[in-house]
């Protein structure tokens, strides 16, 4: 019974610990970088550790429980994105999922041409992407291009709309194009890309035998806006758990996995995940991902509305306090953006984003993507690509709120920013 008592009390203590860490008068506004794990997810993860420790491929009770949890989680993730459970593969995270898609597209192109007996006149498989993608797409593309494995076109986002324009993507498609990979929403600006229209237009160019696959990395969109793979018309969609209060694992949706749409494994092993992603399943983290997906499905409408209200209040308060010094970096004509994302610069010498945040006593935020945190005071390449002037981009702050952020939190954060800016201006005067 002592063990059972531990099973019942540990999640409560974990929740209390999380709340203690996140409080301490600090205001967290970096939810686009990562989210704290939801209490329900902690509970599901711990229960899986406790009760479902067996190998999911085994026939005894603990293994059967693990298998059942994995099955249920697969269904929950599929429901969150509007797909079928058999089309979900669990991965270590978004980076692995994105890598699998690009490698699959290239491999399929090579196999198709080889099977058809085509020499292809030396043409390499060609992939279309954007110039504001996550590094797990961008750096892999650059590596594959350098290795002479594939050719890439990085379509620039419009400096007017901040998004990839459909006509530009269509114009980049070639006879040897095998994949179009465009993120669903940008992690710094929050701008939502027209993936549904891109899918429709690209598909109209090719036949089933000359299919160009469509992939979108939905890491930033899930948990913030509705995401439906059928409406988007994509073949592949990347899921990242820690962006929606889940654990740091991910999943990949593949439309008609292995039948309609190919997926080639990057690992070889024991045959788990139907051989597409072998390796003994990480049952506790999969349980957590499934629970996080359930919460998104149940609460998205309410959370989306709240985040939009808080973001608008945040932007109004910033305008009142900083007036003409303020420049919004993600207000683009005719573009939708995530309901939680504000990218703003407080214009003035010595007010670089990193300096302002280092003088804040309560606000926890970032100057841009977490994977670019080593760039120091260099302006964000994403903002520069969107047409933001270098001296403005250097001062950028990315403030991303959540369903738990309150107006009182906003008031505290804005006052903290005001005090930090005032202190820096006094130092530099």
């Amino acid at each position: 019974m002592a063990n059972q008592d531990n099973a019942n009390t540990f999640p409560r203590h974990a929740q209390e610990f999380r709340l203690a860490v996140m409080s301490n008068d600090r205001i967290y506004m970096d939810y686009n970088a990562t989210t704290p794990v939801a209490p329900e997810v902690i509970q599901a993860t711990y229960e899986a550790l406790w009760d479902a420790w067996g190998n999911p491929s085994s026939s005894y009770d603990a293994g059967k429980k693990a298998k059942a949890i994995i099955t249920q989680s697969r269904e929950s993730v599929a429901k969150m994105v509007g797909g079928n459970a058999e089309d979900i593969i669990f991965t270590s995270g978004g980076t692995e999922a994105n890598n699998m898609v690009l490698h699959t597209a290239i491999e399929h192109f090579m196999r198709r041409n080889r099977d058809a007996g085509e020499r292809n006149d030396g043409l390499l498989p060609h992939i279309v992407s954007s110039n504001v993608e996550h590094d797990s797409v961008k750096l892999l593309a650059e590596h594959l291009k350098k290795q002479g494995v594939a050719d890439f076109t990085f379509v620039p986002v419009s400096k007017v709309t901040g998004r990839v324009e459909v006509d530009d993507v269509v114009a980049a498609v070639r006879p040897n194009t095998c994949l179009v990979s465009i993120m669903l929403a940008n992690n710094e600006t929050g701008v939502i890309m027209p993936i549904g229209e891109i899918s429709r237009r690209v598909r109209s160019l090719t036949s089933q035998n000359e299919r160009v696959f469509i992939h979108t990395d939905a890491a930033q969109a899930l948990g913030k806006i509705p995401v439906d793979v059928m409406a988007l018309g994509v073949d592949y969609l990347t899921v990242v758990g820690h962006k929606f209060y889940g654990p740091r694992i991910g999943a990949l949706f593949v439309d008609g996995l292995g039948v309609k749409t190919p997926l080639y494994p990057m690992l070889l092993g024991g045959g788990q995940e139907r051989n597409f992603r072998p390796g003994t399943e990480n049952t506790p983290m999969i349980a957590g991902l499934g629970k996080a997906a359930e919460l998104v499905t149940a609460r998205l409408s309410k959370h989306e509305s709240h985040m939009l209200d808080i973001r608008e209040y945040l932007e109004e308060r910033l305008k009142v306090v900083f007036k003409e010094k303020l420049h919004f970096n993600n207000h683009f004509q005719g573009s939708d953006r995530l309901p939680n994302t504000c990218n703003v610069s407080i214009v003035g010498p010595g007010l670089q984003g990193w300096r302002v945040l280092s003088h804040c006593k309560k606000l926890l935020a970032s100057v841009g993507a977490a994977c670019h945190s080593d760039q120091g005071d260099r302006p964000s390449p994403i903002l520069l690509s969107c047409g933001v002037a270098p001296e403005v981009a250097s001062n950028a702050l990315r403030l991303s709120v959540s369903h738990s952020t309150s107006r009182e939190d906003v008031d505290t954060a804005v006052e903290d920013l005001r005090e930090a800016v005032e202190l820096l201006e006094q130092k530099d005067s």
Side-chain angles (χ1 to χ4, degrees):
M1 292 301 295
N3 287 344
Q4 186 60 47
D5 288 342
N6 288 339
N8 290 332
T9 59
F10 180 80
R12 176 173 58 80
H13 295 326
Q15 179 183 351
E16 291 170 355
F17 175 75
R18 183 184 71 85
L19 292 174
V21 170
M22 296 306 297
S23 59
N24 196 28
D25 295 327
R26 305 306 295 266
I27 306 300
Y28 186 71
M29 289 190 176
D30 204 15
Y31 289 91
N32 282 11
T34 198
T35 55
V37 181
E40 298 91 338
V41 173
I42 295 174
Q43 179 79 33
T45 301
Y46 185 74
E47 288 178 357
L49 279 165
W50 192 261
D51 295 326
W53 51 266
N55 191 313
S57 300
S58 301
S59 59
Y60 41 79
D61 285 348
K64 289 179 179 179
K65 287 181 180 179
K67 187 71 171 180
I69 286 173
I70 292 168
T71 298
Q72 179 58 55
S73 295
R74 201 184 308 277
E75 292 173 356
S76 298
V77 172
K79 185 175 181 180
M80 177 179 65
V81 301
N84 298 315
E86 58 267 25
D87 292 337
I88 299 295
I89 292 294
F90 294 113
T91 68
S92 62
T95 294
E96 181 187 349
N98 289 343
N99 273 252
M100 287 180 76
V101 172
L102 267 66
H103 280 291
T104 288
I106 293 168
E107 178 69 15
H108 186 72
F109 177 91
M110 302 302 291
R111 290 190 186 191
R112 185 184 65 188
N113 285 354
R114 183 171 62 246
D115 292 344
E118 297 177 11
R119 292 172 54 184
N120 211 34
D121 296 327
L123 286 176
L124 295 173
H126 173 246
I127 294 175
V128 177
S129 192
S130 82
N131 66 340
V132 296
E133 296 297 313
H134 188 268
D135 277 352
S136 57
V137 171
K138 180 182 177 183
L139 295 184
L140 174 60
E142 292 173 352
H143 171 75
L144 293 171
K145 187 172 183 176
K146 183 177 180 180
Q147 295 296 315
V149 174
D151 197 7
F152 289 82
T153 297
F154 296 102
V155 177
V157 294
S158 165
K159 291 179 170 55
V160 175
T161 64
R163 70 183 180 220
V164 177
E165 296 299 333
V166 178
D167 287 345
D168 293 336
V169 174
V170 172
V173 174
R174 307 173 186 171
N176 57 321
T177 301
C178 60
L179 178 72
V180 172
S181 178
I182 307 287
M183 59 173 33
L184 185 50
N186 185 260
N187 49 329
E188 293 192 30
T189 64
V191 170
I192 300 169
M193 305 296 176
I195 301 301
E197 182 60 24
I198 288 172
S199 296
R200 287 187 288 274
R201 290 283 300 280
V202 170
R203 294 203 191 287
S204 70
L205 299 176
T206 59
S207 67
Q208 183 66 24
N209 292 332
E210 299 174 339
R211 188 170 166 196
V212 176
F213 297 111
I214 311 294
H215 166 240
T216 191
D217 181 346
Q220 287 297 333
L222 288 165
K224 299 167 189 169
I225 60 173
V227 174
D228 187 305
V229 291
M230 296 300 110
L232 294 172
V234 295
D235 300 293
Y236 305 96
L237 182 139
T238 296
V239 175
V240 180
H242 74 97
K243 303 295 187 180
F244 54 93
Y245 307 89
R248 289 194 173 118
I249 69 163
L252 179 66
F253 162 83
V254 185
D255 184 25
L257 174 60
V259 179
K260 178 182 176 183
T261 305
L263 184 68
Y264 299 115
M266 294 179 64
L267 304 172
L268 298 176
Q272 295 85 355
E273 292 294 282
R274 290 161 287 167
N275 276 318
F276 293 111
R277 204 280 184 180
T280 304
E281 299 91 337
N282 191 345
T283 306
M285 295 297 103
I286 291 173
L289 184 67
K291 177 56 68 173
E294 285 182 29
L295 297 178
V296 169
T297 300
R299 302 173 180 177
L300 178 61
S301 178
K302 178 181 177 181
H303 288 177
E304 183 182 10
S305 177
H306 177 81
M307 288 186 288
L308 180 58
D309 175 74
I310 294 298
R311 188 201 72 194
E312 290 180 345
Y313 180 72
L314 169 63
E315 294 187 349
E316 286 301 317
R317 292 301 304 149
L318 288 168
K319 285 190 286 187
V320 168
V321 170
F322 294 105
K323 300 179 174 63
E324 70 279 355
K325 293 180 182 178
L326 201 69
H327 182 275
F328 290 108
N329 302 318
N330 63 341
H331 287 193
F332 294 103
Q333 179 182 344
S335 291
D336 294 327
R337 56 190 169 116
L338 297 173
N340 79 317
T341 306
C342 169
N343 196 303
V344 65
S345 293
I346 303 168
V347 180
L351 298 181
Q352 292 88 355
W354 68 271
R355 289 194 73 198
V356 172
L357 290 176
S358 69
H359 284 74
C360 285
K361 297 178 180 179
K362 297 182 178 180
L363 175 64
L364 300 174
S366 66
V367 299
C371 54
H372 295 156
S373 60
D374 61 343
Q375 292 183 346
D377 60 351
R378 286 180 289 172
S380 160
I382 301 295
L383 294 184
L384 295 178
S385 297
C386 293
V388 179
E391 64 275 13
V392 176
S394 293
N395 290 20
L397 302 169
R398 183 185 66 177
L399 308 176
S400 48
V401 303
S402 82
H403 58 76
S404 61
T405 307
S406 68
R407 289 191 172 211
E408 291 75 17
D409 291 335
V410 169
D411 291 338
T412 301
V414 173
E415 176 61 18
D416 198 29
L417 282 170
R418 187 195 65 77
E419 292 176 359
V421 169
E422 186 177 271
L423 180 62
L424 285 169
E425 289 178 331
Q426 289 173 354
K427 282 184 177 180
D428 294 337
S429 62

